[in-house]
Each structure stands twice: as C-alpha cells, then as structure tokens.
Amino acid sequence: MKILNDQQEEYRAFLKHIREEKQESSSLVKFVFTVITALICAIIVCVIFLNMADNVSRTNEDTTGIFKFTRKHKNEFNVPFAPRRQNILLLGIDSNGQGTDMWEGTRSDTILVVNIDPKTHSIKAISIPRDSKVYLPDNKGVQKINSAHALGGINLVKKTLRETFGIKIDRYIIVHDEAVEKVVDAIGGVPIYVEKNMHYHDYAGKLHIDLEKGNTVLNGKQAVGYLRYRKDGLGDIGRTQRQQWFMKSLFDKIHSPQIITKIPEVLNALNSYVKTDMSFYELSQYAALARSIDKNKIEIATLPGAPNQKGYISYWILDPAKTQEVINRMIYRDKPVMENGKFVAGIMYSPRRENDAEEIKKQLAELGFEVKMLQITQLSHSKFVANKNVVTTDFYNWLEKKVPSIRDFQFVYDPTGNFSVSSDFTIVLAEQ
C-alpha cells in the first residue's frame, strides 16, 4: 500500500505542476483543436474521394536543448501506391488576421506525421509539439518548430523534419484552423461523452463553452469549445485525452453509412480550407487504403519532452532518447525484442469503476500477469496505454480477446509513464 500511496502522491505532484504552469497565449490554446482539424480533414478528404472515385545516432548541437536525430539506414517512400509505408504530413495552420493570405506567413499550430503501412493495414501517428526547440535549416536559426511554415512554407517544414528527425515526407495536407467547425457541422455533428460540466466564456476571444456532462452530439461550435476547454485540474493532460477521444469518435462517425449523404456538404466546407500536393487519383488511392484500415491497428504518440522557459519564450525541450524511441517505433516500425517473461499490467481507474477494475485484475491474474492498481479521481476516457516499447497492437489485439471488456479501447503509446502504475501497459478505466 505504501508504494501505491507514493505513486498517488507523485501523480498529484505532477498534476499540480501542470496546473501551476503559466497561462497559455491564445495561439497556443489552439494547439489541441488544430491537431484535430488536421486529422478530421485528412480522413474526410479520403472518404470523399473514395466515394467520388467509387541504429540510431544522436547529435548534441549544444547545451541548449536542441537535438538532431539521424538514422543510418532510412526507408524509402517513393511510390505512393506500392506496398510500402508512407509518411503523410498533416499541418494545421493558424491565421494572420482578417484580410490576410491564409497560406502565407502562417505558423503551424499542428504538426502530425501519419505513417501508413499498406501491408499491415495499420496507421501510426506522431504529434510533434509546436513549441519544440529545434534548429531550422537554411540559416533560420534556433526557433520553435511551428515557425518553419511561417519562415519558409511547406518546403521548410519538410526539410526540418528530414534533417532534425530523419523523417522523409511523401505527401502533405495543410488545413486552416477554421475547418473544424464547418466540417463537424457538415457531417451532422460528432457523438461524444462529455466527462464533466464545461462552462467558460472569453468575450474578447469570442469563445463560449457551455457543455453538460453526459452523452451528446457536438455541433461545430461545441466541438471547438470541447477541444479548447482548459479550465480543469488536468491541464494539458485533460486536453490531450479529449483530443484522442474526439479522434476516435470522429473515426467511428465517418465510417458510418450515413456519411455518404453528407459528401456534398463536406466537400463544400473543405474547399476553401485544405491545401495538398496530392492529385485526385492519389487521394482516391489513399482513401481506398484508409477505408481498409483496422481501427485496432491505429496507434498514436506525442514526442516526449518537458516545458522550459527562457525569458518570455516557452519551449518544449525534447527528450532525445525517448524521442528517438518513438520515431523508431512509429516511423521505422522497428520490432522490439521481448527480453523476459510476462508483462507487468497496470489498472488506473475512476472510483465508480472499482468493481470493473477488480474484475479485469482477476482476469489478468488468471492469464499470469502481475497486476498493479491505482485509483485516480480525474480520468476522462478509457484507453489502453503501452508504457514500454515491447507492448504492441498485436499484443493488445490478443489481450482484448481474453479480456473482452477492453475491446475497442484506443491504443496510445506513451513511454513517459504519465499513465503508468510502474507497469509495462496500463488499462485506464474512466467513468464512461
């Protein structure tokens, strides 16, 4: 019990640190919902055109927290429709103000690299925090990575990803941040479970959030509010959870038969807010592939790091070892080797889910797993978290057959241990 109490105190301290961080600027607040913007539009564009068409070395540049990651043998991604993995860059950009060109001189509030593997019908997506401190190519100097698009457009973004992380981009989709509201309305809303009452009014920023706890269907304005809400005790952790759950709900919605009738409205909504280097034929091919993706083979991760303040500038300092580990797993699909026996299982649960947690613990114990439990008051949505590299989607797909109550949980790779009970994988049981 002492170990669990220590873990609870450590977790509370972590949450307190998040709460005590300085208030974010309005552009930073957009980060979470523009991540969703990019994914929304990328998936829906695929659906539209489908129906219309029927190792590693680390270079420490200095002591300021700027790192470059290179790989000795890189995979090539040249033929878009061959059975090779593809890297699709989803970029969500902000606005320079009314009357300005939406594509020129704009920063990227979202940088999401989606790795698609046609052979295994799987997707792995990496979110790169917009405040990541990097050295931009072409003598642009030390900057936040979100400045790359403003200073050199899409070409500088691609070059930065290649030279900093060793990630070659095959195709890109750029989405303006006004797309979320219009797209959600066009598809008739997104069903979601709102995990708590959310009320917030920013008259200067024209943001009004009035959401009640429970199951609901979010319209466009409500979706933006849900994704931007930050007035809870979990800070960035809470927003990240809502982002991930929203993506899952959206994925389920656009795979429903009813979405076909919404195609003209969606196409109209996206017409002014999406820019891509894909041809019509390429989009149709990617769409056909997207429709075949097994939702139990979708994995997401965020490049690990920590916040750092330098004067008035707040950076995200990437953890070099863990960042490389994420890139190897998500982009290069390195296959980890299991070194010893069974995994250690963790269950993190809301108070109302204690009985469910005990039942899952019993089932895991019968399978031979060591199980550690931790009750947390504030958990938004249920999910399956891989805390160690050796825990794969194949393992999860096997486990859900043995433990049916975790079926269709979203799979998240998080080597930081934020959601961990000193475990190799953690089953998170929220109220809903």
mmCIF file with all atom_site columns, all heavy atoms in Angstrom, residues 381-400:
data_model
loop_
_atom_site.group_PDB
_atom_site.id
_atom_site.type_symbol
_atom_site.label_atom_id
_atom_site.label_alt_id
_atom_site.label_comp_id
_atom_site.label_asym_id
_atom_site.label_entity_id
_atom_site.label_seq_id
_atom_site.pdbx_PDB_ins_code
_atom_site.Cartn_x
_atom_site.Cartn_y
_atom_site.Cartn_z
_atom_site.occupancy
_atom_site.B_iso_or_equiv
_atom_site.pdbx_formal_charge
_atom_site.auth_seq_id
_atom_site.auth_comp_id
_atom_site.auth_asym_id
_atom_site.auth_atom_id
_atom_site.pdbx_PDB_model_num
ATOM 1   N N   . HIS A 1 381 ? -11.420 9.476   -20.149 1.00 0.00 ? 381 HIS A N   1
ATOM 2   C CA  . HIS A 1 381 ? -11.905 8.414   -21.025 1.00 0.00 ? 381 HIS A CA  1
ATOM 3   C C   . HIS A 1 381 ? -11.032 7.177   -20.891 1.00 0.00 ? 381 HIS A C   1
ATOM 4   O O   . HIS A 1 381 ? -9.843  7.273   -20.596 1.00 0.00 ? 381 HIS A O   1
ATOM 5   C CB  . HIS A 1 381 ? -11.925 8.876   -22.480 1.00 0.00 ? 381 HIS A CB  1
ATOM 6   C CG  . HIS A 1 381 ? -12.942 9.931   -22.753 1.00 0.00 ? 381 HIS A CG  1
ATOM 7   N ND1 . HIS A 1 381 ? -12.633 11.271  -22.752 1.00 0.00 ? 381 HIS A ND1 1
ATOM 8   C CD2 . HIS A 1 381 ? -14.266 9.852   -23.014 1.00 0.00 ? 381 HIS A CD2 1
ATOM 9   C CE1 . HIS A 1 381 ? -13.720 11.982  -23.015 1.00 0.00 ? 381 HIS A CE1 1
ATOM 10  N NE2 . HIS A 1 381 ? -14.716 11.144  -23.171 1.00 0.00 ? 381 HIS A NE2 1
ATOM 11  N N   . SER A 1 382 ? -11.645 6.064   -21.155 1.00 0.00 ? 382 SER A N   1
ATOM 12  C CA  . SER A 1 382 ? -10.926 4.793   -21.059 1.00 0.00 ? 382 SER A CA  1
ATOM 13  C C   . SER A 1 382 ? -10.015 4.608   -22.266 1.00 0.00 ? 382 SER A C   1
ATOM 14  O O   . SER A 1 382 ? -10.331 5.054   -23.374 1.00 0.00 ? 382 SER A O   1
ATOM 15  C CB  . SER A 1 382 ? -11.924 3.638   -20.975 1.00 0.00 ? 382 SER A CB  1
ATOM 16  O OG  . SER A 1 382 ? -12.775 3.779   -19.853 1.00 0.00 ? 382 SER A OG  1
ATOM 17  N N   . LYS A 1 383 ? -8.881  3.936   -22.055 1.00 0.00 ? 383 LYS A N   1
ATOM 18  C CA  . LYS A 1 383 ? -7.953  3.657   -23.152 1.00 0.00 ? 383 LYS A CA  1
ATOM 19  C C   . LYS A 1 383 ? -6.934  2.619   -22.704 1.00 0.00 ? 383 LYS A C   1
ATOM 20  O O   . LYS A 1 383 ? -6.834  2.281   -21.509 1.00 0.00 ? 383 LYS A O   1
ATOM 21  C CB  . LYS A 1 383 ? -7.242  4.932   -23.586 1.00 0.00 ? 383 LYS A CB  1
ATOM 22  C CG  . LYS A 1 383 ? -6.490  5.655   -22.489 1.00 0.00 ? 383 LYS A CG  1
ATOM 23  C CD  . LYS A 1 383 ? -5.976  6.994   -22.993 1.00 0.00 ? 383 LYS A CD  1
ATOM 24  C CE  . LYS A 1 383 ? -5.397  7.817   -21.853 1.00 0.00 ? 383 LYS A CE  1
ATOM 25  N NZ  . LYS A 1 383 ? -4.931  9.148   -22.313 1.00 0.00 ? 383 LYS A NZ  1
ATOM 26  N N   . PHE A 1 384 ? -6.181  2.136   -23.677 1.00 0.00 ? 384 PHE A N   1
ATOM 27  C CA  . PHE A 1 384 ? -5.101  1.188   -23.415 1.00 0.00 ? 384 PHE A CA  1
ATOM 28  C C   . PHE A 1 384 ? -3.796  1.905   -23.706 1.00 0.00 ? 384 PHE A C   1
ATOM 29  O O   . PHE A 1 384 ? -3.586  2.412   -24.812 1.00 0.00 ? 384 PHE A O   1
ATOM 30  C CB  . PHE A 1 384 ? -5.243  -0.051  -24.308 1.00 0.00 ? 384 PHE A CB  1
ATOM 31  C CG  . PHE A 1 384 ? -4.180  -1.093  -24.072 1.00 0.00 ? 384 PHE A CG  1
ATOM 32  C CD1 . PHE A 1 384 ? -4.399  -2.137  -23.191 1.00 0.00 ? 384 PHE A CD1 1
ATOM 33  C CD2 . PHE A 1 384 ? -2.963  -1.033  -24.749 1.00 0.00 ? 384 PHE A CD2 1
ATOM 34  C CE1 . PHE A 1 384 ? -3.423  -3.105  -22.978 1.00 0.00 ? 384 PHE A CE1 1
ATOM 35  C CE2 . PHE A 1 384 ? -1.975  -1.979  -24.541 1.00 0.00 ? 384 PHE A CE2 1
ATOM 36  C CZ  . PHE A 1 384 ? -2.204  -3.026  -23.652 1.00 0.00 ? 384 PHE A CZ  1
ATOM 37  N N   . VAL A 1 385 ? -2.899  1.968   -22.710 1.00 0.00 ? 385 VAL A N   1
ATOM 38  C CA  . VAL A 1 385 ? -1.648  2.703   -22.859 1.00 0.00 ? 385 VAL A CA  1
ATOM 39  C C   . VAL A 1 385 ? -0.475  1.736   -22.824 1.00 0.00 ? 385 VAL A C   1
ATOM 40  O O   . VAL A 1 385 ? -0.307  0.980   -21.861 1.00 0.00 ? 385 VAL A O   1
ATOM 41  C CB  . VAL A 1 385 ? -1.478  3.755   -21.741 1.00 0.00 ? 385 VAL A CB  1
ATOM 42  C CG1 . VAL A 1 385 ? -0.185  4.547   -21.942 1.00 0.00 ? 385 VAL A CG1 1
ATOM 43  C CG2 . VAL A 1 385 ? -2.681  4.696   -21.703 1.00 0.00 ? 385 VAL A CG2 1
ATOM 44  N N   . ALA A 1 386 ? 0.336   1.761   -23.877 1.00 0.00 ? 386 ALA A N   1
ATOM 45  C CA  . ALA A 1 386 ? 1.579   0.988   -23.904 1.00 0.00 ? 386 ALA A CA  1
ATOM 46  C C   . ALA A 1 386 ? 2.672   1.849   -23.297 1.00 0.00 ? 386 ALA A C   1
ATOM 47  O O   . ALA A 1 386 ? 3.027   2.889   -23.844 1.00 0.00 ? 386 ALA A O   1
ATOM 48  C CB  . ALA A 1 386 ? 1.931   0.600   -25.331 1.00 0.00 ? 386 ALA A CB  1
ATOM 49  N N   . ASN A 1 387 ? 3.201   1.434   -22.156 1.00 0.00 ? 387 ASN A N   1
ATOM 50  C CA  . ASN A 1 387 ? 4.250   2.192   -21.483 1.00 0.00 ? 387 ASN A CA  1
ATOM 51  C C   . ASN A 1 387 ? 5.651   1.740   -21.901 1.00 0.00 ? 387 ASN A C   1
ATOM 52  O O   . ASN A 1 387 ? 6.617   2.481   -21.734 1.00 0.00 ? 387 ASN A O   1
ATOM 53  C CB  . ASN A 1 387 ? 4.123   2.060   -19.968 1.00 0.00 ? 387 ASN A CB  1
ATOM 54  C CG  . ASN A 1 387 ? 2.770   2.493   -19.457 1.00 0.00 ? 387 ASN A CG  1
ATOM 55  O OD1 . ASN A 1 387 ? 2.032   1.695   -18.866 1.00 0.00 ? 387 ASN A OD1 1
ATOM 56  N ND2 . ASN A 1 387 ? 2.415   3.741   -19.674 1.00 0.00 ? 387 ASN A ND2 1
ATOM 57  N N   . LYS A 1 388 ? 5.760   0.539   -22.423 1.00 0.00 ? 388 LYS A N   1
ATOM 58  C CA  . LYS A 1 388 ? 7.044   0.002   -22.873 1.00 0.00 ? 388 LYS A CA  1
ATOM 59  C C   . LYS A 1 388 ? 6.973   -0.309  -24.364 1.00 0.00 ? 388 LYS A C   1
ATOM 60  O O   . LYS A 1 388 ? 5.918   -0.666  -24.895 1.00 0.00 ? 388 LYS A O   1
ATOM 61  C CB  . LYS A 1 388 ? 7.391   -1.268  -22.093 1.00 0.00 ? 388 LYS A CB  1
ATOM 62  C CG  . LYS A 1 388 ? 7.607   -1.048  -20.601 1.00 0.00 ? 388 LYS A CG  1
ATOM 63  C CD  . LYS A 1 388 ? 8.841   -0.196  -20.334 1.00 0.00 ? 388 LYS A CD  1
ATOM 64  C CE  . LYS A 1 388 ? 9.070   0.060   -18.842 1.00 0.00 ? 388 LYS A CE  1
ATOM 65  N NZ  . LYS A 1 388 ? 9.319   -1.172  -18.100 1.00 0.00 ? 388 LYS A NZ  1
ATOM 66  N N   . ASN A 1 389 ? 8.119   -0.208  -25.012 1.00 0.00 ? 389 ASN A N   1
ATOM 67  C CA  . ASN A 1 389 ? 8.185   -0.390  -26.455 1.00 0.00 ? 389 ASN A CA  1
ATOM 68  C C   . ASN A 1 389 ? 7.769   -1.783  -26.900 1.00 0.00 ? 389 ASN A C   1
ATOM 69  O O   . ASN A 1 389 ? 7.296   -1.984  -28.021 1.00 0.00 ? 389 ASN A O   1
ATOM 70  C CB  . ASN A 1 389 ? 9.613   -0.094  -26.940 1.00 0.00 ? 389 ASN A CB  1
ATOM 71  C CG  . ASN A 1 389 ? 9.686   0.076   -28.434 1.00 0.00 ? 389 ASN A CG  1
ATOM 72  O OD1 . ASN A 1 389 ? 8.740   0.539   -29.065 1.00 0.00 ? 389 ASN A OD1 1
ATOM 73  N ND2 . ASN A 1 389 ? 10.807  -0.306  -29.020 1.00 0.00 ? 389 ASN A ND2 1
ATOM 74  N N   . VAL A 1 390 ? 7.939   -2.756  -26.018 1.00 0.00 ? 390 VAL A N   1
ATOM 75  C CA  . VAL A 1 390 ? 7.633   -4.143  -26.387 1.00 0.00 ? 390 VAL A CA  1
ATOM 76  C C   . VAL A 1 390 ? 6.139   -4.431  -26.398 1.00 0.00 ? 390 VAL A C   1
ATOM 77  O O   . VAL A 1 390 ? 5.707   -5.486  -26.865 1.00 0.00 ? 390 VAL A O   1
ATOM 78  C CB  . VAL A 1 390 ? 8.342   -5.133  -25.433 1.00 0.00 ? 390 VAL A CB  1
ATOM 79  C CG1 . VAL A 1 390 ? 9.839   -5.130  -25.684 1.00 0.00 ? 390 VAL A CG1 1
ATOM 80  C CG2 . VAL A 1 390 ? 8.043   -4.803  -23.983 1.00 0.00 ? 390 VAL A CG2 1
ATOM 81  N N   . VAL A 1 391 ? 5.333   -3.524  -25.891 1.00 0.00 ? 391 VAL A N   1
ATOM 82  C CA  . VAL A 1 391 ? 3.879   -3.713  -25.900 1.00 0.00 ? 391 VAL A CA  1
ATOM 83  C C   . VAL A 1 391 ? 3.344   -3.176  -27.220 1.00 0.00 ? 391 VAL A C   1
ATOM 84  O O   . VAL A 1 391 ? 3.377   -1.980  -27.486 1.00 0.00 ? 391 VAL A O   1
ATOM 85  C CB  . VAL A 1 391 ? 3.210   -2.989  -24.716 1.00 0.00 ? 391 VAL A CB  1
ATOM 86  C CG1 . VAL A 1 391 ? 1.702   -3.189  -24.746 1.00 0.00 ? 391 VAL A CG1 1
ATOM 87  C CG2 . VAL A 1 391 ? 3.786   -3.490  -23.397 1.00 0.00 ? 391 VAL A CG2 1
ATOM 88  N N   . THR A 1 392 ? 2.829   -4.054  -28.057 1.00 0.00 ? 392 THR A N   1
ATOM 89  C CA  . THR A 1 392 ? 2.411   -3.701  -29.413 1.00 0.00 ? 392 THR A CA  1
ATOM 90  C C   . THR A 1 392 ? 0.900   -3.815  -29.589 1.00 0.00 ? 392 THR A C   1
ATOM 91  O O   . THR A 1 392 ? 0.196   -4.343  -28.720 1.00 0.00 ? 392 THR A O   1
ATOM 92  C CB  . THR A 1 392 ? 3.096   -4.625  -30.433 1.00 0.00 ? 392 THR A CB  1
ATOM 93  O OG1 . THR A 1 392 ? 2.638   -5.980  -30.216 1.00 0.00 ? 392 THR A OG1 1
ATOM 94  C CG2 . THR A 1 392 ? 4.613   -4.581  -30.277 1.00 0.00 ? 392 THR A CG2 1
ATOM 95  N N   . THR A 1 393 ? 0.412   -3.351  -30.737 1.00 0.00 ? 393 THR A N   1
ATOM 96  C CA  . THR A 1 393 ? -1.010  -3.508  -31.047 1.00 0.00 ? 393 THR A CA  1
ATOM 97  C C   . THR A 1 393 ? -1.369  -4.975  -31.223 1.00 0.00 ? 393 THR A C   1
ATOM 98  O O   . THR A 1 393 ? -2.503  -5.372  -30.943 1.00 0.00 ? 393 THR A O   1
ATOM 99  C CB  . THR A 1 393 ? -1.374  -2.726  -32.319 1.00 0.00 ? 393 THR A CB  1
ATOM 100 O OG1 . THR A 1 393 ? -0.487  -3.095  -33.378 1.00 0.00 ? 393 THR A OG1 1
ATOM 101 C CG2 . THR A 1 393 ? -1.288  -1.223  -32.081 1.00 0.00 ? 393 THR A CG2 1
ATOM 102 N N   . ASP A 1 394 ? -0.420  -5.785  -31.693 1.00 0.00 ? 394 ASP A N   1
ATOM 103 C CA  . ASP A 1 394 ? -0.687  -7.226  -31.812 1.00 0.00 ? 394 ASP A CA  1
ATOM 104 C C   . ASP A 1 394 ? -0.955  -7.831  -30.438 1.00 0.00 ? 394 ASP A C   1
ATOM 105 O O   . ASP A 1 394 ? -1.852  -8.673  -30.280 1.00 0.00 ? 394 ASP A O   1
ATOM 106 C CB  . ASP A 1 394 ? 0.495   -7.941  -32.480 1.00 0.00 ? 394 ASP A CB  1
ATOM 107 C CG  . ASP A 1 394 ? 0.615   -7.623  -33.958 1.00 0.00 ? 394 ASP A CG  1
ATOM 108 O OD1 . ASP A 1 394 ? -0.416  -7.248  -34.556 1.00 0.00 ? 394 ASP A OD1 1
ATOM 109 O OD2 . ASP A 1 394 ? 1.717   -7.747  -34.517 1.00 0.00 ? 394 ASP A OD2 1
ATOM 110 N N   . PHE A 1 395 ? -0.178  -7.396  -29.450 1.00 0.00 ? 395 PHE A N   1
ATOM 111 C CA  . PHE A 1 395 ? -0.406  -7.882  -28.093 1.00 0.00 ? 395 PHE A CA  1
ATOM 112 C C   . PHE A 1 395 ? -1.781  -7.433  -27.600 1.00 0.00 ? 395 PHE A C   1
ATOM 113 O O   . PHE A 1 395 ? -2.531  -8.226  -27.012 1.00 0.00 ? 395 PHE A O   1
ATOM 114 C CB  . PHE A 1 395 ? 0.676   -7.362  -27.144 1.00 0.00 ? 395 PHE A CB  1
ATOM 115 C CG  . PHE A 1 395 ? 0.353   -7.577  -25.687 1.00 0.00 ? 395 PHE A CG  1
ATOM 116 C CD1 . PHE A 1 395 ? 0.477   -8.830  -25.111 1.00 0.00 ? 395 PHE A CD1 1
ATOM 117 C CD2 . PHE A 1 395 ? -0.110  -6.528  -24.906 1.00 0.00 ? 395 PHE A CD2 1
ATOM 118 C CE1 . PHE A 1 395 ? 0.158   -9.037  -23.773 1.00 0.00 ? 395 PHE A CE1 1
ATOM 119 C CE2 . PHE A 1 395 ? -0.430  -6.718  -23.574 1.00 0.00 ? 395 PHE A CE2 1
ATOM 120 C CZ  . PHE A 1 395 ? -0.296  -7.972  -23.010 1.00 0.00 ? 395 PHE A CZ  1
ATOM 121 N N   . TYR A 1 396 ? -2.115  -6.161  -27.842 1.00 0.00 ? 396 TYR A N   1
ATOM 122 C CA  . TYR A 1 396 ? -3.417  -5.661  -27.401 1.00 0.00 ? 396 TYR A CA  1
ATOM 123 C C   . TYR A 1 396 ? -4.557  -6.429  -28.072 1.00 0.00 ? 396 TYR A C   1
ATOM 124 O O   . TYR A 1 396 ? -5.548  -6.783  -27.418 1.00 0.00 ? 396 TYR A O   1
ATOM 125 C CB  . TYR A 1 396 ? -3.544  -4.173  -27.711 1.00 0.00 ? 396 TYR A CB  1
ATOM 126 C CG  . TYR A 1 396 ? -4.957  -3.657  -27.588 1.00 0.00 ? 396 TYR A CG  1
ATOM 127 C CD1 . TYR A 1 396 ? -5.580  -3.570  -26.346 1.00 0.00 ? 396 TYR A CD1 1
ATOM 128 C CD2 . TYR A 1 396 ? -5.687  -3.299  -28.720 1.00 0.00 ? 396 TYR A CD2 1
ATOM 129 C CE1 . TYR A 1 396 ? -6.882  -3.128  -26.234 1.00 0.00 ? 396 TYR A CE1 1
ATOM 130 C CE2 . TYR A 1 396 ? -6.995  -2.853  -28.610 1.00 0.00 ? 396 TYR A CE2 1
ATOM 131 C CZ  . TYR A 1 396 ? -7.584  -2.767  -27.375 1.00 0.00 ? 396 TYR A CZ  1
ATOM 132 O OH  . TYR A 1 396 ? -8.875  -2.338  -27.272 1.00 0.00 ? 396 TYR A OH  1
ATOM 133 N N   . ASN A 1 397 ? -4.433  -6.699  -29.369 1.00 0.00 ? 397 ASN A N   1
ATOM 134 C CA  . ASN A 1 397 ? -5.480  -7.438  -30.077 1.00 0.00 ? 397 ASN A CA  1
ATOM 135 C C   . ASN A 1 397 ? -5.641  -8.847  -29.517 1.00 0.00 ? 397 ASN A C   1
ATOM 136 O O   . ASN A 1 397 ? -6.751  -9.388  -29.488 1.00 0.00 ? 397 ASN A O   1
ATOM 137 C CB  . ASN A 1 397 ? -5.160  -7.496  -31.579 1.00 0.00 ? 397 ASN A CB  1
ATOM 138 C CG  . ASN A 1 397 ? -5.278  -6.129  -32.235 1.00 0.00 ? 397 ASN A CG  1
ATOM 139 O OD1 . ASN A 1 397 ? -6.053  -5.286  -31.793 1.00 0.00 ? 397 ASN A OD1 1
ATOM 140 N ND2 . ASN A 1 397 ? -4.502  -5.892  -33.277 1.00 0.00 ? 397 ASN A ND2 1
ATOM 141 N N   . TRP A 1 398 ? -4.541  -9.441  -29.061 1.00 0.00 ? 398 TRP A N   1
ATOM 142 C CA  . TRP A 1 398 ? -4.627  -10.747 -28.407 1.00 0.00 ? 398 TRP A CA  1
ATOM 143 C C   . TRP A 1 398 ? -5.299  -10.614 -27.043 1.00 0.00 ? 398 TRP A C   1
ATOM 144 O O   . TRP A 1 398 ? -6.180  -11.405 -26.698 1.00 0.00 ? 398 TRP A O   1
ATOM 145 C CB  . TRP A 1 398 ? -3.217  -11.331 -28.231 1.00 0.00 ? 398 TRP A CB  1
ATOM 146 C CG  . TRP A 1 398 ? -3.195  -12.560 -27.360 1.00 0.00 ? 398 TRP A CG  1
ATOM 147 C CD1 . TRP A 1 398 ? -3.468  -13.842 -27.721 1.00 0.00 ? 398 TRP A CD1 1
ATOM 148 C CD2 . TRP A 1 398 ? -2.909  -12.605 -25.943 1.00 0.00 ? 398 TRP A CD2 1
ATOM 149 N NE1 . TRP A 1 398 ? -3.369  -14.686 -26.634 1.00 0.00 ? 398 TRP A NE1 1
ATOM 150 C CE2 . TRP A 1 398 ? -3.031  -13.951 -25.532 1.00 0.00 ? 398 TRP A CE2 1
ATOM 151 C CE3 . TRP A 1 398 ? -2.562  -11.638 -25.001 1.00 0.00 ? 398 TRP A CE3 1
ATOM 152 C CZ2 . TRP A 1 398 ? -2.802  -14.347 -24.217 1.00 0.00 ? 398 TRP A CZ2 1
ATOM 153 C CZ3 . TRP A 1 398 ? -2.345  -12.034 -23.691 1.00 0.00 ? 398 TRP A CZ3 1
ATOM 154 C CH2 . TRP A 1 398 ? -2.464  -13.371 -23.306 1.00 0.00 ? 398 TRP A CH2 1
ATOM 155 N N   . LEU A 1 399 ? -4.907  -9.590  -26.290 1.00 0.00 ? 399 LEU A N   1
ATOM 156 C CA  . LEU A 1 399 ? -5.418  -9.433  -24.934 1.00 0.00 ? 399 LEU A CA  1
ATOM 157 C C   . LEU A 1 399 ? -6.907  -9.127  -24.913 1.00 0.00 ? 399 LEU A C   1
ATOM 158 O O   . LEU A 1 399 ? -7.634  -9.624  -24.035 1.00 0.00 ? 399 LEU A O   1
ATOM 159 C CB  . LEU A 1 399 ? -4.646  -8.312  -24.218 1.00 0.00 ? 399 LEU A CB  1
ATOM 160 C CG  . LEU A 1 399 ? -4.967  -8.128  -22.733 1.00 0.00 ? 399 LEU A CG  1
ATOM 161 C CD1 . LEU A 1 399 ? -4.578  -9.371  -21.944 1.00 0.00 ? 399 LEU A CD1 1
ATOM 162 C CD2 . LEU A 1 399 ? -4.251  -6.897  -22.181 1.00 0.00 ? 399 LEU A CD2 1
ATOM 163 N N   . GLU A 1 400 ? -7.390  -8.331  -25.866 1.00 0.00 ? 400 GLU A N   1
ATOM 164 C CA  . GLU A 1 400 ? -8.807  -7.982  -25.840 1.00 0.00 ? 400 GLU A CA  1
ATOM 165 C C   . GLU A 1 400 ? -9.699  -9.188  -26.104 1.00 0.00 ? 400 GLU A C   1
ATOM 166 O O   . GLU A 1 400 ? -10.867 -9.190  -25.713 1.00 0.00 ? 400 GLU A O   1
ATOM 167 C CB  . GLU A 1 400 ? -9.111  -6.875  -26.853 1.00 0.00 ? 400 GLU A CB  1
ATOM 168 C CG  . GLU A 1 400 ? -9.006  -7.284  -28.294 1.00 0.00 ? 400 GLU A CG  1
ATOM 169 C CD  . GLU A 1 400 ? -9.531  -6.210  -29.243 1.00 0.00 ? 400 GLU A CD  1
ATOM 170 O OE1 . GLU A 1 400 ? -10.024 -5.184  -28.756 1.00 0.00 ? 400 GLU A OE1 1
ATOM 171 O OE2 . GLU A 1 400 ? -9.463  -6.441  -30.462 1.00 0.00 ? 400 GLU A OE2 1
#
